[in-house]
Amino acid sequence: MKKKRKNVHQQMLKAGNARKRAVKTTVLAAGLMTHVLAGNSIDYKTDDVYKGDSISYFQHFFGMEKASADPDGDDEGSSEPESGGGEPESGGGDPESGGSEPESGGGDPESGGSEPESGGSEPQTGGSAPERSSSSSQTSNSTTVSNSIIDSSASTGSAANSLNQWVHGKLENDTVSVSVDSSVVRKLSTLDHLDDLSVTILPRASHIHLTLPKEVLSFLRSQEKVSSFTLYSNQSKMALALNKLNIQRASSLMHVPTDLLDLQINIDVLSNDELSDLKESLPSGLKWLVQPLRFNVLWVAGDQTLKLDQEELKNVTRVIHLGTIDFDPQTATVLGFNEETRTYSYVPAYFVQNNGQWEAKIRDMQHSTYVIALNEQRDTSDNDSSINNIEYLQNKQLLASNQFEIGEPITRGEIAQFLVSALGANGISAKDTPFRDVTDEQSYVATAAHLGLVKGYADGTFRANSHITREELASMIYRAIQYAGGDSSTDTPAAISYPDQDSISPWATAQVQALTSLNLLQDTFGTSFEPKKAATTDEALMILVRTLRSIEYVN
């Protein structure tokens, strides 16, 4: 009789456990159905941590507490995933260290010249953040503290070393604040490599603020392989080359040790008042394509903050997602807004379409607020003619109206000024100039020399007002390609086939060969190169537009 009662009791316990599991599964299934109906994806089978255990996976995904073991030994606990996401690639190359330009009217070419500084390179990030919304119920007036604000699914995203599993986000008043706990250092130390790190934000919000704490920065700086950190969101993406940010500068200016500095990343949609100012200042003939955004990266120590300088901003890539909008990228431009002068200026940017989704990749060292504008009146039927090149650059706001005349010679100073603007380096102010004939009004020459784009003559002059020769033009453009990290290979054999190629100065031969092999000089100078002949405006602009397209600074 006792044995029978014991069997009945065990059967009742098993039935109760079954009911509890059924209720739990029903709740999870309901949450899953809500998540799927919201247009979000779930794939627990490919998750390396859960190994196909759907219950444990969904418990983690929806933020449920780990279940205790059932009386019959059924453990439904979950473990913490440690991977996911896409890898931004880091690229770039060093500017040319040699070469010189001849002194006009005879004389020896410059014999030395200092080695130009390496401009570094911008991290190239592959893939955009997944277009997903948070599965939890969130309103702009309430506060939600949940891992579901971060893309916590190890099978979603695109970065191999995602920090998503180890951070938490708070959504309050349309602002997402992301905290990276210092304990993440212990978890990062378990990874085999730390070449790229990322965080992906799920909900669409007007303001995103993420802080990399001092403990994490100190650890990452101690790892030589750490190259970049990327913040993904629905509207944008920001990638930083961490090992090229100047934390020593911040430490010196803020009078704080480097191991006490945090790094704060902010992406903001502008307020209505700010948008009104931007609309009033927008050049005529242009209209907004998407809502403007502001990107900021700050060093933080207590109440002190310090923005990155221009040299550091060269190592920050900002991307704005445009969605499936239908437009011609040659009619669009990205403008930076100067909040002090209330004026716009050209910003180098390249439009890319992936899986039907457009995005604008911004290369800039000066601004933080960006507007993507469209000029639908521009004719793009003939993009390689002299007149269309000028109109194209004017539409990009890179040239002013009536700045150049077709067929007229162009000067060395005008090319130097154009290259500084085209590479987004107007914000870099070089205090000293190596040339004795450069005036304060020609500060762009000092900037171009600082970036390694130009060299002078043996007598210490630059001669900004002198007409630029074809071989001098080739030399400057070659250095610009190297500064931007583009392909400037001179290894292609027999690339030069001009009948007068022997008259090209030795210091310019490799540069002319490189530009010829890259098809940047074709059909420009005719059958002969005539290296000492002055280049005309239309010849120079044709080569310059081709060059900017080849390095993906314009479309």
Side-chain angles (χ1 to χ4, degrees), residues 242-454:
L242 295 176
N243 53 357
K244 293 180 180 176
L245 299 186
N246 193 349
I247 194 171
Q248 285 77 19
R249 165 187 169 270
S251 172
S252 175
L253 293 177
M254 301 174 75
H255 306 289
V256 175
T258 57
D259 58 359
L260 294 181
L261 286 171
D262 300 328
L263 190 67
Q264 187 179 96
I265 304 172
N266 305 313
I267 303 176
D268 300 289
V269 174
L270 276 63
S271 67
N272 289 333
D273 290 341
E274 292 172 318
L275 292 175
S276 178
D277 286 344
L278 265 65
K279 287 181 178 179
E280 291 179 1
S281 307
L282 191 67
S284 60
L286 299 179
K287 68 175 185 179
W288 287 356
L289 194 58
V290 293
Q291 196 166 22
L293 292 178
R294 179 186 292 119
F295 297 81
N296 268 319
V297 183
L298 307 170
W299 294 109
V300 179
D303 295 333
Q304 294 188 79
T305 61
L306 178 69
K307 290 184 177 181
L308 300 188
D309 68 1
Q310 291 92 345
E311 296 286 359
E312 289 177 293
L313 285 174
K314 184 173 188 286
N315 303 304
V316 178
T317 299
R318 286 137 287 187
V319 174
I320 297 178
H321 300 310
L322 310 180
T324 58
I325 189 169
D326 183 20
F327 78 108
D328 181 353
Q330 294 189 38
T331 65
T333 186
V334 177
L335 302 176
F337 184 70
N338 188 316
E339 297 179 6
E340 295 181 0
T341 62
R342 323 306 291 175
T343 57
Y344 285 100
S345 59
Y346 161 84
V347 169
Y350 192 72
F351 296 93
V352 180
Q353 189 178 33
N354 292 315
N355 299 321
Q357 303 283 328
W358 283 99
E359 64 180 28
K361 182 178 180 180
I362 299 170
R363 293 177 163 97
D364 183 42
M365 291 175 276
Q366 183 177 3
H367 304 89
S368 59
T369 301
Y370 299 98
V371 169
I372 301 178
L374 193 67
N375 184 353
E376 295 178 331
Q377 304 302 315
R378 203 188 90 79
D379 181 11
T380 61
S381 58
D382 184 6
N383 292 318
D384 210 25
S385 70
S386 301
I387 295 178
N388 269 279
N389 281 324
I390 289 180
E391 291 179 349
Y392 175 76
L393 294 173
Q394 288 174 344
N395 176 65
K396 293 284 184 182
Q397 308 298 306
L398 187 50
L399 290 184
S401 299
N402 303 319
Q403 185 172 345
F404 294 121
E405 292 184 17
I406 295 296
E408 293 296 318
I410 192 167
T411 67
R412 289 166 52 82
E414 288 171 329
I415 292 297
Q417 186 175 21
F418 180 93
L419 289 175
V420 169
S421 299
L423 296 176
N426 280 324
I428 293 181
S429 177
K431 297 180 180 179
D432 301 320
T433 173
F435 312 119
R436 59 182 175 84
D437 63 336
V438 171
T439 66
D440 291 340
E441 290 74 21
Q442 296 170 327
S443 59
Y444 52 84
V445 176
T447 300
H450 172 71
L451 299 177
L453 305 177
V454 300

Side-chain angles (χ1 to χ4, degrees), residues 102 129 184 214-215 256 336 370 432 528:
V184 75
K214 56 188 73 66
E215 296 87 354
V256 175
Y370 299 98
D432 301 320
S528 297

Side-chain angles (χ1 to χ4, degrees), residues 129 135-136 168 180 321 368 399 435 459 474 507 529:
S135 60
S136 59
H168 291 276
V180 180
H321 300 310
S368 59
L399 290 184
F435 312 119
D459 61 357
W507 53 264
F529 185 68

Side-chain angles (χ1 to χ4, degrees), residues 90-94 120-122 124 244 314 482-486:
S90 174
D94 296 328
S121 62
E122 299 172 359
Q124 304 289 317
K244 293 180 180 176
K314 184 173 188 286
Q482 287 200 316
Y483 172 81

Side-chain angles (χ1 to χ4, degrees), residues 506-522:
W507 53 264
T509 300
Q511 289 90 328
V512 175
Q513 175 175 316
L515 267 59
T516 302
S517 65
L518 293 172
N519 295 321
L520 299 179
L521 304 181
Q522 76 272 21

